[in-house]
Amino acid sequence: MTELAWIGTALGAARPQVVAALLRYFRDLDLAEEAYQEACLRALKNWPQNGPPRDPASWLIFVGRNAAMDVVRRRKKQRELPDEDAISDTDDAETSLAEGLDGAHYRDDILRLLFICVHPELPATQQIALALRIVCGLSVPQIARAFLVSESAMEQRITRAKARIADAKVPYETPGEPERAERLSAVASVLYLMFNEGYSAPDGASADARAPLCDEAIRLARLLMRLFRHEPEIMGLTALFLLQHARTAARFDGHGEIVLLEAQDRGLWDRALIDEGLALLDKAMRHRRPDPYQVQAAIAALHARAARAEDTDWAQIDRLYATLERLTPSPVITLNRAVAVSKTRGAADALAMLEPLAPKLSGYFHFFGLKGALLLQLGRDDEARTAFGQAIALARTPAEAAHIRMHLDRLQSDAKV
Amino acid sequence: MLYAILCYDSEELVEGWPKDQDEAVMKRLGVVQDELRAKGRLGPVARLMPTTAATSLRKGRETIVMDGPFAETKEQLLGFYVVECESLEEAIETAKKLGGASEGHGTFEIRPLRYFAPNGSTVSTGSRVT
């Protein structure tokens, strides 16, 4: 990795901690974000010369805090002169803040920040969008994609959420026990989207570069589980993360190309993560309160339990997807269910399930990828070629595009024979 | 005389080790274990999953199943079993039977294992790929 790429990754990975800590000091979202950006600019100047600091996050918090202090002082000056006491108080506060910079400190900051972003004053969609922007540092296009809405709509949604938090004078403090529990589900959905964003490695980034998002989501989920020991939703969520993450080493080949689940070398799967995921899922299911995360974890568990791809219990997976469709109806879930149906009842039945989804998923890479694969199985090569072409146009990563191109090349060479 | 050596440490810290650090520690521990094993002085070695994976069962007339480890401070660790079970359900049933056979109102904590060497060789824990 080049130096600049390394710095970029480090800045991105430190972002949640840094913004969370800065928000705690200044209680102003925009100021905290600006201060983080200012600190990043200084890091880009400073780190290549002096080498990376041992702890990038605390470096950024320190520098960001000083930068924002200057802004605050300037603003104050424009209004009124502070008296001596106020100034010396600030100095004292700075000392204790500097001393308070320890690992355990920021870790709680991030969770605190998450719980603030999912304030009940905001509608659920705004809560989650705001948290993804502020805490996870995802770009507006990334968030828009996660919600399957347009960028401008998402931009508006986030701006409105920020304004609303400012207007409502939402206090930046850790919510009490009952409120925390109420906001827990919203926090869980942020972690879920955060993990997915890292898992699907978009924007042409290598899987390595996006992995911090997955790691961070897992770390926060584990932390949540310690705070809320009786919540099956969090157990299921963590189980899902662990079971998915266990496959990381097998998901891409040496050239960075996608290896499909059925072709993965299962010897590369991390058994320790799988075991822990299965144990947590077992625990969650005993509560008899099924939710979408538990069901998804159960699907991942069936894959994890199959020693070979052909041992996969597709009938059971089909049933679980049916449950998921009932709990949270979505075209993407139906699309996934179609994969299971293609294994149990054949490509024709699966294709029939896809047709009604076309209007909603016309911008979705996987829709055309699956459609092409099913058409190919049915020997409808020309239509398959069209679908694969549409898929390539929608691919978000070189790996996705390359994978589809492989199908097309095969079609091409078959046609010549 | 046989001695049990029980490991206590900050779970938050240990669970936070990055993968390579964790592997390095396990490797160093393996060296010590190998020495003992060669002399025939090593019994079962087990590593537990985090406490968040634990389920507890309070003994008594009516057994109560709870998430997490909740042994009371007046209770001390008196012994342990390593049991092969298909599921958590089966493990709970087993613990209930053990509870019924013993006396008192103590707690059984059911903690899945992460690593297990019964005597000499490592066997897989949890999920068996069959």
Side-chain angles (χ1 to χ4, degrees), chain A residues 107 222-223 225-226 229-230 235 270-272 274-276 278-280 282-283 286-288 305-307 311, chain B residues 11-12 15 19 49-55 65 67-70 87-89 92 112 114 125-127 129:
Chain A
R107 192 155 58 184
R222 284 183 186 282
L223 208 58
M225 212 163 37
R226 283 206 196 103
R229 285 177 178 263
H230 308 285
M235 294 174 205
D270 187 327
R271 295 315 302 180
I274 289 176
D275 287 344
E276 196 182 333
L278 293 176
L280 283 175
D282 247 9
K283 245 183 86 157
R286 275 190 51 85
H287 286 261
R288 309 263 178 271
R305 282 183 202 275
D311 300 334
Chain B
E11 175 180 286
E12 206 168 320
E15 289 295 322
K19 201 168 184 240
M49 282 191 196
T51 48
T52 41
T55 304
V65 180
D67 292 316
F70 287 108
S87 63
L88 177 60
E89 215 63 47
I92 289 173
R114 172 175 283 177
T125 57
S127 62
V129 179

